[in-house]
Amino acid sequence: MESNRQPSANNPPPKPWERAGASSGPAPFKPPSAGSTSDVVEASGTAKPGEIVSTSNNNATINRNALSRPVPTRPWEQNYGNSNYGGIGSNMGYNSGYASGTYGSYGGVGGSYGGIGGVGGSYGGVGGLYGGGMYGNSMYRGGGYGGAYGSSGMYGGGMYNGGLGGSMGGYGMGMGGPYGAQDPNDPYGAPPSPPGFWISALRVMQGVVNFFGRISILIDQNTQAFHLFMTAMLQLFDRSGVLYGELARFVLRILGIRTKPKKVQPPGPNGLPLPEPHNPHVNQNYIVEAKAAPSGSWDNVWGTDAGK
Amino acid sequence: MPVFKTPFNGYSVKFSPFYESRLAVATAQNFGILGNGRIHVLDLPSSPSPQISELASYDTADGVYDLAWSESHESLLVAAIADGSIKIYDLSLPPTSNPIRSFLEHSREAHSADYNPVRRDSFLSASWDDSVKLWTLDRPTSVRTFKEHAYCVYSAVWNPRHADVFASASGDCTLRVWDVREPGSTMIIPAHDFEILSCDWNKYDDCCIATASVDKTIKVWDVRSYRVPISVLSGHGYAVRKVRFSPHRQGLMVSCSYDMTVCLWDYMLEDALVGRYDHHTEFAVGVDMSVLVEGLLASTGWDELVYVWQNGTDPRAF
């Protein structure tokens, strides 16, 4: 029996439900057709072999009647002038204005990136995701959070939308050109020349966009846990006093205001000079005196050496 | 019961329809955000022991989000890859000649794959490019593309009794039922107010389908009267990532969630939540029920562990 077993007859054991009876009543489905799936589809006239779907031009024939809410913008697509996304479209103006005004044309990405380093910056980066990916669009649109944090310019801004989406559209056009004529799988012909600086830079950008796209989908799928995490982070920063101090410093830096004059070092408490590495005696005195300073004072927020 | 440690974060686990001791696991590096992926094919021990042996493993250049065993060839495996490609692996061939096929038509991440259990010659892939594609092994390209959803399609599942009917769950908050012979979807069910991450058909009632959503609930629907759900099951603390109907009992379902638990439900009972397992220490994102062994469950998650256990026992005890 083994010898005449053909691959197509190589079937698994019958499913448990195939031995059971039929369903609970007449089903609203057409009776199955005979033949293989590809034959059935081709006979029905609906086959479209190898169709490539691009997400940018799919708004022409799509039936969106049953949508129960506006769909969030994805970071990899640009939606300017797309009439189907009325609500989001009107947000975009604000977002892109924010991005271009503050950071220039690559504002969103720069913001999120620069953010990962220091405390103030990381705040900016996470803030971007927060505004665009989640609160701006999908769940809390226009709700209490938008209002509460909108004024800070971090949460309402949604640099994710404007920044990433915008830059994506821009270089998407650039990519098409140089590669249009060349098939990378062509076994004949010379190997392609190494990509130029801009092409490789754009590829890096593509990777960055992909990266943030996946993060935003993950956040989309898991809004509650992300909300909890962000709330905990906010409380942590708030409690340790970093939040508003760093925010203020960040804003001042953007405005071009230095937070400390750097010409002359101001005298320390009680007129003593500030500690120097070669003066251990004074250093000791300073520590003792510094303890006596009022703890609630804002004078020490920047640290004594912020101007260096 | 046995545990297997994967080097990457687990994304999906599926029992083989041919061998009761075989299962495949899809994994992705760095939580599937950036990096490579790996497919593991595992064999359960014949005697009770904590060791699961690895039959084969295949590396991919991007994370693997889902797997489907072929229903017609015992050694074939379909993988949905995060770079949008659909790859087919043949376990009977040496690793160097795998994958035997690679289809790159989706323009975004492919998120699910499902093999037709009735006609056994085709499979579906669902992708973040808002489309579902139908593939057969005898064609070099996809046979058809279904694009009506307005946001990522997270899952597309064949009806277990109708060879031409399937359902798709999408982030546009709708569940759509399709017939491959029809030009458009035959049914649109606005099933949840938030994204729908998974759906599955009841194996014993071809009109009954369950949806799992970001709103933390699972809803059970009758496609003949879809104005109101038959049942709404709440009990998960975060978004429900996957739901599967039992191949053996009509009302039984298993689900896994971002609250790190795996739950068992019987939607026909008053107290629908019949079991809860909290063995995972990170998001539980993959779960399956064996077709060949009643009550055998498998789950995987971002804690890089694959658990296989009999329903009613502790997954961690062995």
Side-chain angles (χ1 to χ4, degrees):
Chain A
M1 291 303 285
E2 282 297 308
S3 59
N4 61 6
R5 200 172 78 163
Q6 293 174 359
S8 59
N10 181 8
N11 283 339
K15 307 288 183 203
W17 61 85
E18 288 170 358
R19 297 188 286 258
S23 68
S24 57
F29 310 122
K30 285 205 302 186
S33 310
S36 74
T37 300
S38 38
D39 292 343
V40 166
V41 174
E42 277 158 11
S44 72
T46 55
K48 261 191 183 176
E51 187 182 4
I52 306 283
V53 179
S54 100
T55 47
S56 57
N57 61 359
N58 60 358
N59 57 351
T61 55
I62 288 178
N63 172 11
R64 289 191 168 136
N65 293 336
L67 287 190
S68 52
R69 53 142 210 182
V71 170
T73 331
R74 273 147 296 191
W76 59 82
E77 67 178 26
Q78 195 182 20
N79 268 316
Y80 297 105
N82 185 338
S83 59
N84 280 328
Y85 295 95
I88 296 171
S90 61
N91 273 346
M92 295 298 283
Y94 172 53
N95 290 344
S96 58
Y98 174 76
S100 62
T102 313
Y103 297 103
S105 57
Y106 283 99
V109 177
S112 320
Y113 243 150
I116 287 168
V119 179
S122 89
Y123 200 70
V126 177
L129 285 174
Y130 209 57
M134 199 171 110
Y135 288 91
N137 291 322
S138 60
M139 279 191 75
Y140 296 87
R141 259 191 73 180
Y145 275 85
Y149 293 104
S151 59
S152 75
M154 292 265 174
Y155 283 87
M159 59 176 92
Y160 203 56
N161 260 346
L164 279 174
S167 59
M168 178 71 191
Y171 74 73
M173 276 180 280
M175 291 281 277
Y179 281 101
Q182 206 160 28
D183 178 8
N185 295 326
D186 186 4
Y188 310 106
S193 55
F197 168 75
W198 282 111
I199 298 299
S200 47
L202 292 176
R203 280 192 192 157
V204 170
M205 288 293 297
Q206 171 101 59
V208 170
V209 170
N210 249 321
F211 174 77
F212 284 108
R214 284 184 194 175
I215 288 183
S216 84
I217 294 283
L218 269 174
I219 291 172
D220 251 21
Q221 292 191 6
N222 199 5
T223 35
Q224 298 98 352
F226 184 70
H227 171 76
L228 204 75
F229 173 74
M230 284 309 298
T231 315
M233 293 291 281
L234 275 174
Q235 280 174 354
L236 185 74
F237 285 138
D238 197 359
R239 183 156 300 182
S240 59
V242 176
L243 179 58
Y244 300 107
E246 285 297 321
L247 251 181
R249 197 168 69 94
F250 184 63
V251 170
L252 289 175
R253 273 276 179 82
I254 287 175
L255 294 176
I257 300 172
R258 298 203 69 97
T259 50
K260 194 83 181 172
K262 68 172 179 183
K263 36 177 185 166
V264 185
Q265 285 199 338
N270 288 347
L272 285 169
L274 275 178
E276 297 285 340
H278 58 266
N279 197 349
H281 180 67
V282 178
N283 198 6
Q284 258 184 348
N285 273 346
Y286 167 70
I287 287 170
V288 171
E289 293 297 331
K291 272 184 185 163
S295 59
S297 155
W298 282 85
D299 294 345
N300 292 331
V301 164
W302 314 126
T304 48
D305 56 349
K308 276 186 193 170
Chain B
M1 286 302 281
V3 177
F4 184 79
K5 175 100 172 81
T6 56
F8 301 154
N9 305 103
Y11 253 83
S12 179
V13 59
K14 293 281 172 75
F15 280 102
S16 164
F18 289 89
Y19 300 102
E20 56 189 42
S21 62
R22 188 170 293 177
L23 65 163
V25 186
T27 64
Q29 206 174 5
N30 300 319
F31 313 106
I33 294 172
L34 199 68
N36 302 329
R38 189 173 292 172
I39 299 163
H40 300 269
V41 181
L42 309 177
D43 248 339
L44 299 177
S46 50
S47 61
S49 88
Q51 287 303 316
I52 298 183
S53 55
E54 186 179 78
L55 203 68
S57 74
Y58 305 103
D59 283 314
T60 57
D62 210 332
V64 188
Y65 283 171
D66 199 18
L67 288 169
W69 285 97
S70 164
E71 298 279 349
S72 60
H73 299 75
E74 58 196 18
S75 61
L76 287 192
L77 197 57
V78 179
I81 317 281
D83 61 5
S85 64
I86 306 296
K87 295 190 195 295
I88 302 180
Y89 293 85
D90 190 341
L91 304 181
S92 60
L93 296 176
T96 47
S97 41
N98 270 309
I100 56 169
R101 296 262 209 297
S102 179
F103 305 111
L104 184 53
E105 285 187 22
H106 284 299
S107 54
R108 297 296 309 176
E109 287 80 346
H111 200 257
S112 98
D114 191 46
Y115 214 92
N116 192 327
V118 182
R119 208 178 269 130
R120 306 174 196 274
D121 66 345
S122 57
F123 59 93
L124 293 168
S125 63
S127 162
W128 292 2
D129 67 5
D130 308 357
S131 73
V132 177
K133 280 178 181 282
L134 170 67
W135 311 80
T136 55
L137 290 179
D138 60 345
R139 294 286 191 279
T141 60
S142 65
V143 176
R144 240 201 104 174
T145 305
F146 305 88
K147 41 174 186 148
E148 264 184 34
H149 281 294
Y151 201 60
C152 307
V153 188
Y154 292 118
S155 158
V157 184
W158 289 104
N159 188 307
R161 287 171 182 270
H162 291 268
D164 302 309
V165 176
F166 71 92
S168 61
S170 161
D172 67 8
C173 309
T174 63
L175 174 83
R176 285 172 200 246
V177 180
W178 308 75
D179 187 312
V180 295
R181 298 159 293 184
E182 301 289 337
S185 60
T186 56
M187 226 171 277
I188 305 172
I189 306 177
H192 293 260
D193 288 336
F194 292 99
E195 297 192 33
I196 308 174
L197 301 183
S198 177
C199 64
D200 197 29
W201 294 91
N202 191 326
K203 309 291 188 289
Y204 291 88
D205 182 347
D206 57 355
C207 295
C208 176
I209 190 166
T211 54
S213 164
V214 169
D215 67 9
K216 312 176 195 173
T217 64
I218 298 166
K219 291 185 182 174
V220 185
W221 304 84
D222 188 321
V223 294
R224 291 163 297 191
S225 56
Y226 53 79
R227 298 276 169 235
V228 282
I230 302 174
S231 182
V232 180
L233 313 175
S234 32
H236 276 299
Y238 286 142
V240 187
R241 173 60 187 253
K242 211 163 266 182
V243 62
R244 302 277 293 172
F245 265 105
S246 163
H248 298 275
R249 285 172 51 194
Q250 179 166 0
L252 195 67
M253 284 186 282
V254 66
S255 66
C256 62
S257 159
Y258 283 113
D259 68 3
M260 308 184 212
T261 64
V262 172
C263 284
L264 273 171
W265 312 82
D266 192 329
Y267 74 92
M268 292 171 163
L269 299 181
E270 183 122 0
D271 281 333
L273 181 60
V274 293
R276 184 192 285 272
Y277 298 97
D278 58 354
H279 50 285
H280 281 292
T281 55
E282 289 287 343
F283 297 153
V285 293
V287 73
D288 197 24
M289 282 175 144
S290 172
V291 180
L292 302 174
V293 184
E294 184 168 358
L296 192 65
L297 304 169
S299 73
T300 186
W302 285 13
D303 55 5
E304 303 173 348
L305 290 172
V306 182
Y307 289 92
V308 183
W309 76 101
Q310 187 68 30
N311 183 19
T313 63
D314 183 359
R316 278 165 297 204
F318 45 79

